[in-house]
Amino acid sequence: MNAIMPKLSRRVFVVTAAAAGGGFALGFHVPGALRTAHASAKGPEVTAWVVIEPDDTVTIRVARSEMGQGTLTGLCQLVAEELECDWSKVKAEFASTNENIKRKRVWGTMATGGSRGIRDSQTYVRQAGAAAREMLVAAAAARWKVAASECEAQKSLVMHKPSGPTLRYGELAGDAAKLEPPKSVKLKDPKDWKVAGKAVPRLDIPDKVMGRPVFAIDTRLPNMAYAAVKHCPVFGGKAGSVDEAAIKDMKGVLKVVHLGNAVAVVADSYWRAKQAVEKLPVTWAETEKNAKVSSASIREFLKSGLGAENIPLARNDGDAKAELAKAAKIIEAEYEAPFQNHAPMEPQNCTASVTADRVDIWVPTQNSEASAAAAASASGIPLDKIEVHKTMLGGGFGRRGAFQEPVREAVLIAKAAGRPVQLIWSREEDMQHGRYRPVSMSRQRAALAADGLPVAWTFRLSGHSIMASVRPDSIKNGVDLHFLAGLYDGTYAVPNFELSYAMRNTHVPVGFWRAVNSNQNAFYRECFVDELAHAAGQDPYQYRRKMLQHEKGRRDLAVLDAAAKKAEWEKPPAAGVHRGIAVYASYGSYAAGVVEIAMDGGEVKLRRVVIALDSGHVASPDGVVAQIEGSVVWALSATLFGEITIRDGRVEQSNFHDYPMLRLDRMPVVEAVLVPSGGFWGGAGEPAVPPVAPALVNAVFAATGRRIRSLPLTRHGLVKA
Amino acid sequence: MAQLNVNGRVVDVDVEPDTPLLWALRDNLGLTGTKYGCGIAQCGACTVHIDGAAMRSCAVTVKDAAGKKVTTIEGLAPDGRLHKVQQAWIEAQVPQCGYCQTGMIMAVAALLESKPKPSDADIDAAITNICRCGTYARVRKAIHRAAQA
C-alpha cells in the first residue's frame, strides 16, 4: 500500500511527529499504511519529480493541491507509467513551495483550479517520468558498459536484454541522478498504459479513514496559540473602536489584533478565543450605501441590465434582432440564479509561525504560491524565506485559490502575538465572508423556423463579473467572456444568434465556485432549449440532436446520445417517473445528463441521475467517476436549496441550518458513463456539474407543467429544506 | 479542570465545564481526527461515541461527557488494526477530501453496533452527516459492505 507524506523540513518534522502522537500518544500503526514524517524523501533526486530510495521506494512529487478531487493519485499514475516503476512502491509528497520559488519554478505552477490539475500538467509530468526512466537505463548501461538501446526498464528493474542481468532502480538512482536529463523523450501512446488510465486505489485514502492529521487545521506546533476572528458584517466596512477591556479577564485570552476589516482574539484554545471574539464589542464603520443593499435591490440592479442599450456583443451571427422583428411568434423567458457559498467542510484556516527572518504557514490552499505571496506581503519578509507546508484540503471548490485572506490574517496575528498561531474562521464567518458564485439573470428571445428549430435567438446576461476584480485585463472591449462560459462558442447551430452581457457588479465579493459561471449559464440555456422544444412540439432529446448536427457539436452530440442511451430515453419512463435532459461543455470536456424524478405530495423526489462525460483521456477512471458523483451532489444541493441572500448589506445565512446541503436520505442513484474519445485532455472535476440543474428543472416541467426560472427549488415549494 | 475517559484512558483537561467536548479533544488532547465543521450539531464531522452511542461532540459539554466512555476515531480500532468500517471505506474508495469522513465512519460504526444489517431506510435515518464532496453513493455502498464483513 502507498502513503502520502507532506514535504517537511527537519524542524517541522519534530513538531509534526509530536502532533501525530497527540497530547497522549495513541500512536497506532497500520502496517503498510504508515504516514511517518521522517520517511519523507531523502534519496537521490533523479529528476525534480522523482526521488528513489535505495530500497526502491519511489517518491513522486506533486505540485498541485489535493482537495478530494484525486489529482494527486492521477498525477502519480502518469509519472509512474512513464517511469516504468512498481506502483506498489510509489509514495507521494507535495513539492516544496519554497524550493519551487528558489529553483525557478522547476515544478511549474502550483495552482489548482479550473479542472486543470491533470490536463494542464500531464505533458510535463509524464516527460519527467520518462526522463527519469531513461536516466536509470543510461546508468545501468554505463555500469554494464553496454549500449542503452540494449537495456529495458520494467517494474523498477533495468534489464540488459541480450544477457539477462538486472539492476534495481534503488541501486541505480544515485548514478542516474548525476546524469544530464535527456533533451527530449518519447511519451507512451495511452493505449499502451498499464498504470495510468486504470482504476487504482487512491494514495490518500488510508490516512483519511484513520483520522490522521493530514489537514492544515490539525497542525499543532510548540507554544501555539489559537485565534478566532470576526469580520465587518457589511462587506466593504472596517472595524472602528474595540472595547478590549470587556474581554481582558476572560480565561486564556492573550491578545486582540486589529486587521482592518476584522478583529481577532488570540487565546490558549480555540474555544476560548471564539467565545471572547463573540463577546468583544466592536463598532463597525460601514458605508451607508452598502448597508442598504438587499437581495431585492440587487435584483432590480441586475434587471436594469436585461434591457440596457449599447452593450457590446460577445457574439453576433447573422442578424438576430431583425429576424425576431419579423417573426410571427417569439418565445421569451427571463431566468435568474442566486449567490452561492462554497462552504467546504474544513472552514478557512491558517497556522502561521513568524520569526524575524522566516515565515512558515500551514494552510489549505489551492495555490501555494499565492499563499506564499500573501504571507510575504503581510509579513514584509521576502518570498524566498517563506515556506507553505502543503496539506490535504478539507474541500476547496474554488474558495482557496485566488483569495488568501486567512493567510494574510494568520501572519499578521502570529506576528502581533509573537508566537505561532492557528487562525480558524468559525462556520459562521466562513458562510458570511465567502467569495460567492455571482448572482445573475438572463433574458432570452427566440423565433422558430418551420422545422421548429430556432432561426433567431438573442441571449442577454446581467450580473456580477468575477474577472472585473480578479483579472480586469482579461476583459477585452468591454466583453467578459468568462461570464459567458459555454455560451459564446457556438455549441448549437443557430443562423442568427446574438449574445451580450451587461456587467452589474455588486458590493458582495464574488469568486470561483465549482463550475463557476457554467452553472447558471447551463441552467439558462438548457432550460430555454427545453422551452423551445416544447413550443415546437418536439422531444427535447431529439430537438437537441437536430441542433447539434454540425462539426462543432460533434462531441456534445456524442455525450448526449450516451446519456440518453444509458437512461433509455427512447422508452417511456415508468408510471410516475419524469425525466429531463441537458448537455453542456465546460473545462475542456463535454457532459450530458438525464435526471429522473417522481413527485410526492407536490415535492420533488430525486430518483436517478445519469451523466455521460467525454474528457478526452482519463488518467484515473475511478477518480473521474467519483468526481461525477460529487459533481451531481454539488449541483443538487445548489438546485434544491442553495441560496445566499443579502439584507442590510450582509449575508443572511450563517450555517448549515439555513444553507442546507443534500444529505444521504435524498441521494439519487448516480450512473456515470465515461466516453473518452481521445485526442485531447479535458477536465473532470467540474464538467459534470452544469447539466444537472437544467436536467432536473426540465424534469420538474415534465412532471408538473411548471417552468421554474429561478433557483433554488425551495423558493417554489417544490422541496422542503 | 475536568476528568475524561477517552479511548480507554482517564485524562485531566484544563477547560471550563461548559466547553464542548470537541475542543477538549482537539486542543487539549491533540486528538485531531475529530473535526470541527459547524459547531451546531448540523454536519456530524465531530461525531464520537459516548458510551457507544454516536454523538456530535460540538454539542456535548465536557461536564456531560465526564464519567462516560468517549471513543474517537483514533480509538476506534485498537491494536493497530482497521475497523471493518474503515476497511470497507478503503475498499469502496469512499473519501474524497476526507474531512467529514472520520465523523461519518464513527456514525456508521455506531449504527452497525445497534443494527448489524441496516436497511437503506435505516441508513437514511441514522446517517445524517454532511459531505460537501458528495460521497453519499459510496457511503451507502460501503455501509452494506461493512455489514457483510
Side-chain angles (χ1 to χ4, degrees):
Chain A
M1 205 180 286
N2 306 280
I4 306 300
M5 299 159 300
K7 173 94 180 154
L8 296 167
S9 69
R10 182 164 178 77
R11 190 167 72 84
V12 174
F13 153 57
V14 177
V15 297
T16 308
F24 61 106
L26 293 162
F28 61 91
H29 295 279
V30 176
L34 293 174
R35 174 191 173 277
T36 46
H38 64 267
S40 65
K42 292 191 290 278
E45 185 182 289
V46 182
T47 68
W49 300 86
V50 175
V51 175
I52 302 178
E53 311 288 346
D55 71 355
D56 288 353
T57 300
V58 174
T59 300
I60 295 175
R61 298 221 174 102
V62 174
R64 308 278 180 159
S65 298
E66 177 56 58
M67 46 190 156
Q69 85 283 31
T71 290
L72 179 140
T73 303
L75 288 172
C76 286
Q77 285 176 265
L78 291 171
V79 175
E81 181 66 54
E82 297 293 341
L83 183 59
E84 292 288 356
C85 69
D86 181 345
W87 176 250
S88 70
K89 291 174 179 156
V90 169
K91 294 184 175 185
E93 70 176 20
F94 293 116
S96 158
T97 306
N98 183 264
E99 281 186 51
N100 202 39
I101 293 163
K102 288 179 184 158
R103 292 172 67 178
K104 298 178 184 167
R105 296 186 100 199
V106 64
W107 293 290
T109 176
M110 294 188 143
T112 312
S115 296
R116 295 183 181 280
I118 287 178
R119 63 179 168 129
D120 275 11
S121 52
Q122 51 83 20
T123 304
Y124 56 78
V125 303
R126 288 157 75 206
Q127 285 168 346
R133 182 198 67 230
E134 289 199 8
M135 291 156 76
L136 290 158
V137 168
R143 203 169 301 176
W144 288 322
K145 299 189 173 58
V146 300
S149 59
E150 293 176 2
C151 303
E152 192 177 73
Q154 209 174 22
K155 280 231 154 198
S156 294
L157 293 172
V158 181
M159 184 160 95
H160 181 233
K161 282 187 287 184
S163 60
T166 59
L167 283 166
R168 293 183 297 105
Y169 278 12
E171 297 172 296
L172 294 165
D175 288 356
K178 292 178 195 131
L179 301 174
E180 275 295 308
K183 292 223 163 32
S184 69
V185 288
K186 187 172 178 293
L187 299 180
K188 287 185 181 178
D189 188 318
K191 73 175 164 43
D192 298 325
W193 284 350
K194 295 175 296 225
V195 174
K198 309 294 177 206
V200 302
R202 274 175 56 155
L203 299 175
D204 50 339
I205 283 183
D207 284 343
K208 288 177 174 177
V209 303
M210 287 184 283
R212 291 201 165 146
V214 299
F215 300 101
I217 204 169
D218 301 335
T219 306
R220 295 292 177 267
L221 304 175
N223 196 35
M224 185 179 93
Y226 297 82
V229 66
K230 67 177 168 190
H231 297 82
C232 181
V234 177
F235 299 112
K238 303 262 176 239
S241 65
V242 176
D243 179 10
E244 295 188 25
I247 61 161
K248 72 174 170 25
D249 294 331
M250 288 179 76
K251 200 166 179 192
V253 168
L254 300 167
K255 196 169 183 61
V256 173
V257 184
H258 297 252
L259 297 164
N261 66 333
V263 180
V265 173
V266 184
D268 62 355
S269 79
Y270 179 68
W271 180 246
R272 285 171 173 166
K274 183 170 185 284
Q275 286 192 303
V277 84
E278 282 166 10
K279 201 173 167 192
L280 181 68
V282 179
T283 308
W284 301 107
E286 302 154 351
T287 69
E288 201 181 326
K289 182 169 163 262
N290 288 348
K292 281 185 183 160
V293 174
S294 67
S295 284
S297 71
I298 289 173
R299 190 167 184 279
E300 286 310 304
F301 178 46
L302 263 60
K303 189 120 181 159
S304 75
L306 293 181
E309 304 286 340
N310 300 321
I311 300 296
L313 302 181
R315 194 174 176 108
N316 189 20
D317 302 341
D319 191 342
K321 277 207 183 85
E323 288 296 320
L324 283 168
K326 39 183 207 202
K329 188 185 167 200
I330 289 174
I331 296 140
E332 176 168 349
E334 288 180 12
Y335 282 81
E336 57 189 271
F339 290 114
Q340 298 283 355
N341 191 26
H342 299 79
M345 295 313 295
E346 181 186 14
Q348 307 307 310
N349 69 92
C350 177
T351 304
S353 166
V354 180
T355 63
D357 59 357
R358 185 182 162 90
V359 177
D360 287 85
I361 56 171
W362 290 256
V363 60
T365 179
Q366 289 179 241
N367 186 346
S368 58
E369 291 172 299
S371 300
S377 158
S379 64
I381 289 171
L383 255 188
D384 63 353
K385 305 285 186 200
I386 311 279
E387 181 60 296
V388 181
H389 301 268
K390 281 175 88 166
T391 60
M392 298 293 166
L393 281 65
F397 314 119
R399 176 65 183 87
R400 312 192 206 257
F403 310 104
Q404 299 285 335
E405 319 95 285
V407 171
R408 171 188 164 265
E409 293 174 359
V411 167
L412 290 173
I413 296 165
K415 197 174 171 183
R419 59 196 280 186
V421 174
Q422 177 165 97
L423 165 70
I424 304 173
W425 287 21
S426 67
R427 174 58 60 195
E428 289 76 11
E429 290 295 308
D430 191 281
M431 196 66 79
Q432 302 192 323
H433 298 280
R435 297 281 175 164
Y436 305 93
R437 188 187 84 184
V439 65
S440 86
M441 294 178 90
S442 69
R443 175 184 291 164
Q444 297 174 78
R445 304 178 81 223
L448 306 185
D451 62 0
L453 297 181
V455 65
W457 185 346
T458 60
F459 200 150
R460 164 66 61 85
L461 283 98
S462 173
H464 193 146
S465 163
I466 301 170
M467 287 300 157
S469 55
V470 176
R471 259 186 24 224
D473 57 309
S474 72
I475 300 173
K476 307 280 188 221
N477 304 318
V479 177
D480 175 7
L481 288 181
H482 186 261
F483 198 87
L484 301 168
L487 299 179
Y488 62 84
D489 49 8
T491 301
Y492 289 129
V494 180
N496 302 283
F497 181 65
E498 183 193 292
L499 177 67
S500 58
Y501 162 42
M503 195 182 291
R504 289 292 182 274
N505 297 341
T506 73
H507 83 304
V508 179
V510 295
F512 305 94
W513 188 91
R514 191 180 193 174
V516 197
N517 292 314
S518 293
N519 283 286
Q520 62 272 20
N521 293 351
F523 167 55
Y524 302 156
R525 187 190 79 186
E526 288 299 295
C527 286
F528 190 64
V529 167
D530 222 65
E531 297 201 36
L532 300 183
H534 183 72
Q538 297 184 26
D539 173 80
Y541 162 50
Q542 293 299 339
Y543 192 77
R544 286 177 172 81
R545 291 200 86 244
K546 289 180 196 165
M547 288 168 66
L548 291 169
Q549 300 296 328
H550 63 134
E551 176 55 25
K552 266 191 169 173
R554 174 169 61 93
R555 291 190 176 114
D556 299 82
L557 181 62
V559 291
L560 183 71
D561 283 345
K565 187 179 172 200
K566 180 74 177 177
E568 299 183 282
W569 187 274
E570 297 297 353
K571 286 195 209 163
V577 176
H578 309 279
R579 303 179 301 198
I581 192 165
V583 61
Y584 214 74
S586 63
Y587 301 94
S589 291
Y590 303 82
V594 173
V595 173
E596 289 183 5
I597 62 167
M599 297 303 293
D600 178 5
E603 250 205 284
V604 171
K605 297 287 172 197
L606 304 167
R607 289 173 49 91
R608 181 188 187 204
V609 179
V610 174
I611 297 285
L613 178 72
D614 178 4
S615 61
H617 292 293
V618 173
S620 203
D622 190 51
V624 173
V625 170
Q627 283 310 290
I628 290 173
E629 293 165 352
S631 294
V632 168
V633 174
W634 181 258
L636 289 175
S637 284
T639 311
L640 265 51
F641 322 109
E643 180 173 32
I644 291 291
T645 55
I646 306 297
R647 186 176 173 180
D648 300 333
R650 65 195 75 192
V651 167
E652 289 191 279
Q653 292 70 25
S654 63
N655 206 315
F656 293 121
H657 66 290
D658 54 9
Y659 188 71
M661 301 285 144
L662 194 82
R663 298 181 197 238
L664 214 155
D665 61 341
R666 296 195 210 227
M667 181 68 192
V669 172
V670 176
E671 293 169 41
V673 186
L674 305 190
V675 284
S677 59
F680 67 101
W681 286 80
E686 293 166 281
V689 174
V692 176
L696 170 54
V697 171
N698 292 339
V700 170
F701 175 74
T704 65
R706 287 176 69 188
R707 284 291 175 197
I708 301 302
R709 299 191 182 97
S710 65
L711 294 178
L713 295 181
T714 44
R715 275 194 191 184
H716 306 278
L718 289 159
V719 176
K720 288 194 197 86
Chain B
M1 193 69 76
Q3 200 167 65
L4 291 171
N5 179 335
V6 182
N7 298 335
R9 295 195 192 188
V10 176
V11 288
D12 290 324
V13 287
D14 174 24
V15 297
E16 288 71 60
D18 62 351
T19 300
L21 176 62
L22 167 66
W23 297 108
L25 294 172
R26 288 188 59 82
D27 294 356
N28 297 81
L29 300 177
L31 297 171
T32 54
T34 302
K35 294 293 190 266
Y36 167 61
C38 68
I40 59 167
Q42 275 283 323
C43 78
C46 65
T47 303
V48 299
H49 296 172
I50 298 181
D51 285 344
M55 302 286 283
R56 291 177 177 181
S57 63
C58 71
V60 177
T61 63
V62 163
K63 182 177 61 191
D64 289 341
K68 296 175 180 157
K69 284 185 178 167
V70 177
T71 306
T72 70
I73 187 76
E74 291 89 347
L76 181 63
D79 313 322
R81 294 174 34 215
L82 286 174
H83 187 275
K84 67 179 178 184
V85 176
Q86 291 168 314
Q87 190 63 47
W89 246 240
I90 291 174
E91 286 166 12
Q93 293 283 292
V94 175
Q96 290 187 26
C97 89
Y99 192 82
C100 74
Q101 297 291 332
T102 49
M104 194 81 84
I105 287 167
M106 295 305 283
V108 170
L111 169 66
L112 294 181
E113 282 297 316
S114 61
K115 281 207 173 81
K117 304 277 180 218
S119 66
D120 279 336
D122 294 334
I123 292 169
D124 287 347
I127 307 304
T128 58
N129 304 44
I130 294 174
C131 171
R132 188 66 163 138
C133 297
T135 62
Y136 300 120
R138 292 181 189 221
V139 165
R140 188 185 301 283
K141 190 169 137 193
I143 294 171
H144 288 305
R145 189 187 280 254
Q148 303 300 319

